[in-house]
Amino acid sequence: FEEYTAELFCKEVSANTVSLHYTLKAPEKYGIEATDATFGQFEREPEAVKAAAENMRQALLGFNYDDLNVQNKITYDILNYRLKLMKKSADYTMYEEPLGLVSGVQTQLPVVLSEYRFYDKEDVEVYLALVRQTEEYFEEIMIFEKKKAEMGLFMPDQAVETVIGQCRAFLEMGNGNYLYSTFADRVMELNTLTEKEKSDYIQENALAISDYVFPAYERMTEELEQLKGSGKNEKGLVYFPKGKEYYELLARQSTGSRRSVEELKDLTRRQINEDLTAMEQVLGLTTKEAKEAAAVITDKKAEQILEQLKEGSKTAFPEPPQTKLEVKYVPEAMEEHLSPAFYMIPAIDNSQQNVIYINRARMGNDMTLFTTLAHEGYPGHLYQTIYYESTHPDPIRSLLDFGGYVEGWATYAEMGSYYLMGLSKEQATLLQKNASIILALYALADIGIHYDGWSVEDTEAFFKNYGITDKDAVGEIYKLILGSPANYLKYYIGYVEFLELKKMWVDEKGKDFLQKEFHSAVLKIGPAPFEIVEDYMWKM
């Protein structure tokens, strides 16, 4: 079975150079030979995807499940789950959006290139070969977008404007673009190169950016301008043909929850009521007073906060493996277009190299920085990643992404961080429950817009019920959710699914309940659909 998963891993990870390089520092140790640099095949025919999924599933079903050990059974179940979902989603290929507003190619590619590690001279050569393919890669994306337009599935004009704005912000950096400076920094650190080689490579990179990357962004901007007016739907997915069915599938993919969309609504409302009840029990304290207390306590630098979180987490979470971490900051010119923060997952054979990016423009105050670093660092993404990697999982697991588990865990960590700030329990409770309710409202709005067909006015009325009356703010929320369907679900539903698992654990263990024991069990399973986490957490 492990030979089968190893073969599958090598085949899948080699499909594009970026995935290969970000997953493995030394592919040759896995029997993977060097191939030409490629961003991979962008679009695949639905029938070909279905056939591939079915063939892989038949090969999987050929193994005797009962003969496998627990870890291999988990891998088997996850592969089976993923292949069934892959077959279902093949019919909705044209609904996918590579130019999403939150994490589209246009904003992610520069970050991916700037963090592309150079271990040796060959990596530099491969990187430059990739950079020279940017125009072809973007052209493939635009062919896909034009097909979407022909089918009436293209994005609305307000989303086009946002994507164009993101492309222009990248271009306006000009000679100050971070793809110049980050490349030079990485090349200068390579001791195996001569000074002349370093100088030549820096010049070669500068030419490649001006000759291939900038023209790719300019061309994409022009073609998007031409496609304006092609979007026939200014509202949620439900207004597309089969849009409701697609959203149901997207919700399943995004959250990893087995619950129907209606059940997700009920779960969210139930959690809001629990949070409101907890807030009501903290009598006589206002959110403003709690925030003022937090602002005083957390006036620290990112590295100090991460150390505080790491130490504070040791009571309720298993000891994290030793690792290195570098905190970087989003370039000023891209602050408006990138997430508040993000963690760069390291290669599975180089898990010591970890990077967290912080977007200073999105850090409203010290409390936001504290909770964001809990989400991205300890006990969030960084901690979950290095802890799971220390269990030496099957390499194929690194390619099976489950956003509900990963972002749900990080949100769970973020919510727990309020109690590590040094605040009174009452202050921490008020701030945490308030944050949880706000995220819940975003999740309900996501379902409302894409599944129930809410207009902007419907969305304004919904938020008004909870005291949020700023129409401009709600308009921005509407636009963001419109351009990234089911995105908020993976954070919020993932978080609540962890709370549900914890309730089950408490019910089963009673007075013997230990947080650390529960956390250890769910972390050892690793990213997976929640039904599989629930099945196996008792066996870890």
Side-chain angles (χ1 to χ4, degrees):
F1 179 78
E2 286 168 9
E3 283 175 11
Y4 161 75
T5 60
E7 189 181 318
L8 191 58
F9 169 74
C10 292
K11 181 185 171 189
E12 293 299 316
V13 80
S14 307
N16 79 73
T17 305
V18 173
S19 169
L20 177 61
H21 191 71
Y22 267 84
T23 307
L24 293 173
K25 177 183 178 180
E28 65 280 0
K29 290 183 180 175
Y30 290 76
I32 299 170
E33 295 176 9
T35 54
D36 293 339
T38 173
F39 281 112
Q41 187 180 2
F42 179 72
E43 190 192 343
R44 293 168 68 192
E45 287 298 319
E47 292 309 315
V49 172
K50 285 182 188 176
E54 188 54 38
N55 289 340
M56 281 192 273
R57 190 157 177 267
Q58 286 308 314
L60 182 70
L61 296 173
F63 291 95
N64 188 331
Y65 184 79
D66 293 334
D67 290 347
L68 302 177
N69 64 25
V70 171
Q71 284 298 343
N72 283 337
K73 279 181 178 174
I74 295 173
T75 303
Y76 181 106
D77 288 346
I78 289 172
L79 280 170
N80 196 22
Y81 176 97
R82 174 51 66 88
L83 291 168
K84 283 193 274 188
L85 212 53
M86 182 175 156
K87 195 173 175 183
K88 279 183 191 171
S89 61
D91 287 328
Y92 298 96
T93 303
M94 297 310 296
Y95 289 76
E96 292 170 13
E97 186 46 81
L99 303 179
L101 305 191
V102 175
S103 55
V105 172
Q106 71 282 3
T107 57
Q108 294 304 301
L109 185 70
V111 177
V112 166
L113 291 175
S114 70
E115 282 297 320
Y116 193 98
R117 292 188 182 276
F118 298 156
Y119 301 114
D120 53 32
K121 183 177 178 175
E122 187 186 345
D123 289 334
V124 183
E125 295 281 358
V126 170
Y127 171 90
L128 290 168
L130 275 174
V131 169
R132 292 188 197 102
Q133 289 181 39
T134 311
E135 278 187 296
E136 294 167 41
Y137 182 50
F138 275 28
E139 191 50 49
E140 279 188 44
I141 291 170
M142 289 314 300
I143 289 168
F144 181 75
E145 293 294 346
K146 286 169 190 170
K147 277 190 194 173
K148 280 172 70 85
E150 286 168 16
M151 296 173 71
L153 298 172
F154 190 61
M155 68 182 88
D157 282 0
Q158 58 181 350
V160 180
E161 286 290 351
T162 303
V163 176
I164 288 172
Q166 291 168 338
C167 291
R168 284 184 178 146
F170 175 78
L171 288 166
E172 282 163 11
M173 282 189 261
N175 292 334
N177 196 293
Y178 59 99
L179 288 185
Y180 293 120
S181 56
T182 53
F183 179 87
D185 291 344
R186 283 171 290 160
V187 163
M188 294 307 286
E189 288 171 5
L190 263 184
N191 299 326
T192 52
L193 298 178
T194 65
E195 290 306 309
K196 184 179 185 307
E197 283 175 321
K198 289 175 183 178
S199 174
D200 288 348
Y201 276 136
I202 289 168
Q203 191 173 0
E204 204 177 324
N205 177 62
L207 285 170
I209 291 167
S210 61
D211 291 351
Y212 298 97
V213 179
F214 289 162
Y217 273 86
E218 284 161 1
R219 179 73 177 149
M220 179 179 274
T221 305
E222 289 165 13
E223 293 192 338
L224 285 169
E225 286 281 7
Q226 290 166 15
L227 285 173
K228 268 191 199 168
S230 302
K232 306 300 179 193
N233 176 18
E234 297 282 334
K235 293 198 277 188
L237 289 176
V238 66
Y239 293 101
F240 285 126
K242 291 192 175 179
K244 197 161 192 168
E245 293 88 338
Y246 174 58
Y247 185 74
E248 287 170 340
L249 183 66
L250 203 57
R252 174 68 56 92
Q253 285 177 321
S254 182
T255 64
S257 172
R258 73 172 86 189
R259 300 173 207 264
S260 68
V261 175
E262 291 297 338
E263 287 170 335
L264 294 180
K265 276 194 225 176
D266 292 341
L267 180 71
T268 302
R269 291 195 185 105
R270 193 166 77 239
Q271 189 59 44
I272 288 174
N273 288 334
E274 280 188 32
D275 290 341
L276 285 170
T277 302
M279 289 176 84
E280 285 163 8
Q281 288 168 358
V282 186
L283 298 173
L285 187 68
T286 68
T287 310
K288 185 171 178 287
E289 288 168 344
K291 282 183 177 175
E292 283 168 359
V296 173
I297 289 164
T298 60
D299 185 18
K300 295 176 182 176
K301 290 182 179 176
E303 289 80 4
Q304 290 174 302
I305 291 172
L306 283 160
E307 196 54 43
Q308 182 181 339
L309 284 162
K310 186 179 177 183
E311 284 303 309
S313 300
K314 286 180 179 177
T315 308
F317 297 86
E319 183 82 19
Q322 288 300 311
T323 194
K324 294 174 188 170
L325 170 63
E326 186 179 1
V327 176
K328 295 185 179 182
Y329 295 90
V330 168
E332 198 174 331
M334 291 302 288
E335 285 177 343
E336 186 188 341
H337 306 290
L338 289 173
S339 303
F342 47 93
Y343 165 63
M344 304 293 291
I345 298 172
I348 60 174
D349 55 347
N350 188 38
S351 58
Q352 285 295 302
Q353 304 297 322
N354 296 274
V355 175
I356 290 175
Y357 268 92
I358 297 170
N359 186 340
R360 280 175 282 209
R362 304 284 182 102
M363 294 297 113
N365 53 43
D366 292 328
M367 186 175 72
T368 305
L369 179 61
F370 192 95
T371 56
T372 299
L373 288 170
H375 184 109
E376 304 298 340
Y378 294 97
H381 287 314
L382 166 67
Y383 171 79
Q384 183 267 319
T385 302
I386 61 169
Y387 184 87
Y388 180 58
E389 205 50 55
S390 73
T391 67
H392 308 293
D394 190 313
I396 193 68
R397 294 289 303 278
S398 66
L399 303 183
L400 302 169
D401 178 42
F402 290 93
Y405 179 102
V406 172
E407 294 300 349
W409 174 266
T411 305
Y412 174 84
E414 179 185 335
M415 295 299 169
S417 72
Y418 287 94
Y419 304 92
L420 299 176
M421 281 184 191
L423 298 167
S424 71
K425 190 177 179 185
E426 291 76 17
Q427 288 168 331
T429 299
L430 194 65
L431 291 169
Q432 186 264 306
K433 302 305 178 190
N434 185 59
S436 175
I437 289 168
I438 289 169
L439 191 56
L441 298 184
Y442 278 52
L444 285 176
D446 196 309
I447 295 170
I449 291 164
H450 290 292
Y451 189 75
D452 296 323
W454 290 359
S455 62
V456 177
E457 292 75 23
D458 295 328
T459 310
E460 285 171 359
F462 167 74
F463 278 102
K464 192 176 179 182
N465 288 335
Y466 291 90
I468 299 167
T469 55
D470 184 336
K471 288 191 175 186
D472 289 340
V474 175
E476 284 302 309
I477 293 167
Y478 188 87
K479 188 166 80 171
L480 192 63
I481 290 173
L482 210 57
S484 49
N487 183 55
Y488 282 111
L489 295 190
K490 65 185 172 192
Y491 292 85
Y492 185 76
I493 298 299
Y495 158 59
V496 179
E497 286 286 7
F498 274 112
L499 294 183
E500 293 294 298
L501 291 175
K502 188 191 271 190
K503 286 174 189 171
M504 289 180 206
W505 194 274
V506 171
D507 288 344
E508 178 68 25
K509 301 289 181 179
K511 59 180 174 47
D512 296 325
F513 168 72
L514 292 170
Q515 288 230 67
K516 192 178 279 191
E517 193 180 62
F518 167 71
H519 293 149
S520 174
V522 294
L523 284 165
K524 282 177 183 172
I525 294 165
F530 284 103
E531 61 199 74
I532 291 175
V533 179
E534 184 186 331
D535 284 346
Y536 284 98
M537 66 183 186
W538 314 104
K539 301 170 188 174
M540 304 314 289

